[in-house]
Amino acid sequence: MLMHRAFISRRRGLLGLSLGLLLAFLPVNAAFSLDYVIKEVIEVGEADFVPFLGPVKWSPDGTMIAFTKNGVIKVSDTLGNIREVARLDMGVHRMDWVSNDKIAVQLKGYTGQGMATENRLSLIDVTTGIESPVHEYKTTPDYKTTPGVARASGPYKTVEGNLFYTLTSSNSRGQTPTVERKSFSETKLESIGNNHFLRWSDSGLYMVRLDESDSTWLVSKPFRKMGLFTKVSHDLSYALDGGQLFRLRDSVRIVLDTLLGPVPENTHSCDVSFFSFNPVADEVLFTIVCEGGVHESEFETFRIATFDCNSFKLSIIDSLISMSNCVAPAYSPDGMKIAFQSKGKVYFLKRSLN
C-alpha cells in the first residue's frame, strides 16, 4: 500500500482544533443541497487497481468508462457492456479521454539496462484500437541534461476541463529546461490557449494560464508543503487539497479529515484520497482511508463518500449500497453517476435527487 499512501493527505494534529474555530463562524448556505438516493448499482467487470493511474475515466459525453486489465484498455457503456480497445506493449502510467473517440495514454517500459526506460505518449482510437504516437523518448543517465532531448508527460486536465501534455526540452547543465504545454489536437491549440492549471507558491494557490503569461490568486497556503492533486470546483467556489476544503470567496478552510465520523474497528485515524468535485454541483467525492496497528498499515479500511459543501452532509456510499472496500470513485460529467472499484472489479451507480 506504499503507492496508495502517496495519495493520502498527511496533515493531522491540531487540525481538529482549527476546524472548531472555523465552524463557529461558518454560516451554512442551504440554497442548494444535493440530497440524493441511489437508484441502481451495476457491476461492470474486472479491472486493475493502479493507484498512480487513479480512478476509472469517464468519456466527455458520459456514455462510457475506460479502465485497464492485464495490459488491455477496455471501455464499457452505462449498461456494463465491455469491449477491448487496445492491448499495450508497455505499462500505462497515465490515461484519460481527449474526446469521445480518443484516449491519451502515457506508456512506460523498462529496457533491462538498469533504470533506463522507454516512454511513449500516444492517442488511441477507441473505435479501431489504432495507436498514434504523439512523442517517444528514452531515459538515460544524462537525458535530463542532454541538449535537445525532449520528454513528454500527460495527459493533464486544465481547470476548464481540456486535456494537454507537457513537452520538456533539456538544456545544457545548469540551465533551466524549456517547458511547453501542448494540446493533443492542433485545432484546439488556440481554444485552450487561455485555459489554466493550478500551482501552489509561497503566497498561496494560483490559477495560471497555460503559457504562464498571467495568473489569478485563489487562496492562502496553510501548510509549507501542499499536495500534487489540488482541484477547484466547476464555478471556482471551492478548492480542495487532500483533507483541506477551501471556500474561495472568504478563504474559510474546512478540514474534511475531522468530519469523517467514528473510525472503523482496529484503526485510529482516517484521511481522504482520490478526491474530486462534482462537475455541476457543490459536492465532493473521495475515498476514506483509515489505518491502524503498530505499523500504521497493519489494518486498513477503504470506503467512498460524498460531502455536500453547503449542508456539510457526509454520505458513506459503502453503507448505502451494502458493499465494502470501495475505492477510487469518479463522477460522470452530469454528476449523477459514480464509477468506482471494489475487490478487483469496476462498478458504477446511478443517483437521482430526492
Side-chain angles (χ1 to χ4, degrees), residues 138-170:
K138 293 182 179 180
T139 63
T140 61
D142 58 352
Y143 78 101
K144 288 186 177 182
T145 57
T146 302
V149 174
R151 54 192 186 273
S153 181
Y156 304 110
K157 189 169 288 187
T158 68
V159 170
E160 292 79 8
N162 292 301
L163 261 65
F164 70 99
Y165 65 97
T166 61
L167 193 64
T168 305
S169 299
S170 302

Side-chain angles (χ1 to χ4, degrees), residues 147-262:
V149 174
R151 54 192 186 273
S153 181
Y156 304 110
K157 189 169 288 187
T158 68
V159 170
E160 292 79 8
N162 292 301
L163 261 65
F164 70 99
Y165 65 97
T166 61
L167 193 64
T168 305
S169 299
S170 302
N171 293 313
S172 299
R173 187 177 298 277
Q175 294 183 333
T176 303
T178 302
V179 179
E180 298 177 85
R181 294 174 180 86
K182 302 173 72 69
S183 169
F184 283 96
S185 170
E186 290 301 320
T187 59
K188 271 195 170 184
L189 195 55
E190 283 190 20
S191 65
I192 71 167
N194 59 355
N195 276 208
H196 300 79
F197 65 96
L198 299 175
R199 173 187 288 165
W200 285 103
S201 72
D202 290 342
S203 57
L205 179 64
Y206 285 82
M207 190 168 66
V208 185
R209 275 181 59 111
L210 288 188
D211 61 5
E212 301 193 54
S213 64
D214 194 16
S215 63
T216 302
W217 180 87
L218 296 179
V219 72
S220 296
K221 185 178 183 179
F223 306 103
R224 185 179 65 84
K225 187 174 183 180
M226 302 301 293
L228 299 175
F229 306 100
T230 308
K231 310 286 187 181
V232 292
S233 61
H234 67 289
D235 59 357
L236 303 183
S237 295
Y238 294 89
L240 183 61
D241 184 282
Q244 313 301 306
L245 177 65
F246 302 89
R247 196 172 65 188
L248 297 180
R249 69 174 181 269
D250 52 14
S251 296
V252 164
R253 179 166 58 92
I254 304 161
V255 185
L256 291 176
D257 295 354
T258 64
L259 295 175
L260 302 179

Side-chain angles (χ1 to χ4, degrees), residues 32-42 58-63 65 78 234 276-285 304 306 308 317 320-321 329-340 347-354:
F32 176 65
S33 179
L34 194 61
D35 190 15
Y36 64 85
V37 295
I38 295 174
K39 305 294 289 184
E40 186 179 14
V41 178
I42 295 176
W58 284 92
S59 63
D61 63 4
T63 63
I65 56 174
T78 54
H234 67 289
S276 60
F277 281 103
N278 189 311
V280 297
D282 291 338
E283 182 188 61
V284 176
L285 177 67
I304 59 174
T306 58
D308 190 307
I317 292 176
L320 298 176
I321 59 178
Y331 282 117
S332 62
D334 65 4
M336 294 307 296
K337 293 181 284 295
I338 295 173
F340 62 95
Y347 299 81
F348 67 86
L349 60 85
K350 297 180 181 180
R351 307 189 292 173
S352 65
L353 296 178
N354 271 341

Side-chain angles (χ1 to χ4, degrees), residues 13-30:
L14 297 176
L15 297 183
L17 175 60
S18 65
L19 175 68
L21 295 175
L22 288 171
L23 293 183
F25 300 99
L26 187 61
V28 175
N29 177 9

